[in-house]
């Protein structure tokens, strides 16, 4: 079972709520290949709290991975648009220490496979070691510090 969820804020002119409801229904019917999936949509006027459209809106459902949209929106609001994840490299004796800042995609096997050229986690670590080989040719150990 899948659930599509999105929070969209729209401004509707007075008397146009039925036009909006009709348009949403047309979009759902025309473009949604739902298969066995369930869908719940609930649109309310933000000022008057009047319901504008509903489809499966009162049916209890388990949130789908689309809930990440809300999480991403909240993170963007809290962290700001200029947030950048950094990964620092440090040499401590014969160890290379990779210090991450919480990048959710760092060393993700799926993302690495989709890179050009495709990489494995071992490939990534080999590249990290190679990148510092000139500065510290005696790297014998790689430490991944993922504490934020």
């Amino acid at each position: 079972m899948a659930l599509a969820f999105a929070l969209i804020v729209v401004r509707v002119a007075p008397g146009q709520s039925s036009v909006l409801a009709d348009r949403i229904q047309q979009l759902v019917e025309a473009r949604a290949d739902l298969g066995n999936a369930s869908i719940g949509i609930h649109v309310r006027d933000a000022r008057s709290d009047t319901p504008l459209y509903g489809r499966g809106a009162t049916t209890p459902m388990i949130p789908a991975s689309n809930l990440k949209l809300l999480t991403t929106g909240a993170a963007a609001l809290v962290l700001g648009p200029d947030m950048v994840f950094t990964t620092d490299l440090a040499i401590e004796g014969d160890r290379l220490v990779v210090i991450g800042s919480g990048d959710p995609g760092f060393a993700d096997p799926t993302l690495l496979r989709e890179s050009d050229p495709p990489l494995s986690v071992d490939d990534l670590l080999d590249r990290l070691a190679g990148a510092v080989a000139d500065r510290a040719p005696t790297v014998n150990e790689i430490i991944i510090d993922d504490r934020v």
Side-chain angles (χ1 to χ4, degrees):
M1 175 188 292
L3 166 70
F5 177 83
L7 175 63
I8 302 170
V9 178
V10 295
R11 181 171 284 175
V12 180
Q16 295 295 307
S17 60
S18 65
V19 173
L20 174 66
D22 290 344
R23 184 67 182 127
I24 293 171
Q25 186 63 34
Q26 289 170 1
L27 289 170
V28 169
E29 291 172 359
R31 298 188 183 183
D33 181 13
L34 299 175
N36 292 330
S38 298
I39 185 170
I41 301 172
H42 184 77
V43 180
R44 298 182 80 82
D45 183 300
R47 287 196 175 115
S48 69
D49 202 33
T50 304
L52 301 176
Y53 178 82
R55 175 179 171 155
T58 60
T59 304
M61 296 183 199
I62 298 171
S65 62
N66 291 5
L67 193 57
K68 287 182 262 186
L69 294 171
L70 288 179
T71 304
T72 301
L77 183 66
V78 171
L79 299 174
D82 297 323
M83 169 61 184
V84 176
F85 288 106
T86 60
T87 301
D88 297 313
L89 303 177
I91 302 292
E92 293 180 355
D94 66 345
R95 296 185 297 177
L96 167 65
V97 182
V98 180
I99 306 164
S101 65
D103 183 348
F106 183 74
D108 180 284
T110 301
L111 293 176
L112 289 172
R113 277 193 304 272
E114 294 174 3
S115 66
D116 186 24
L119 299 171
S120 68
V121 173
D122 287 338
D123 294 334
L124 175 66
L125 295 175
D126 287 343
R127 284 188 176 199
L128 288 172
V132 297
D134 292 338
R135 289 189 170 190
T138 60
V139 169
N140 293 316
E141 184 178 13
I142 297 174
I143 307 285
I144 306 293
D145 182 351
D146 63 354
R147 296 172 293 168
V148 177

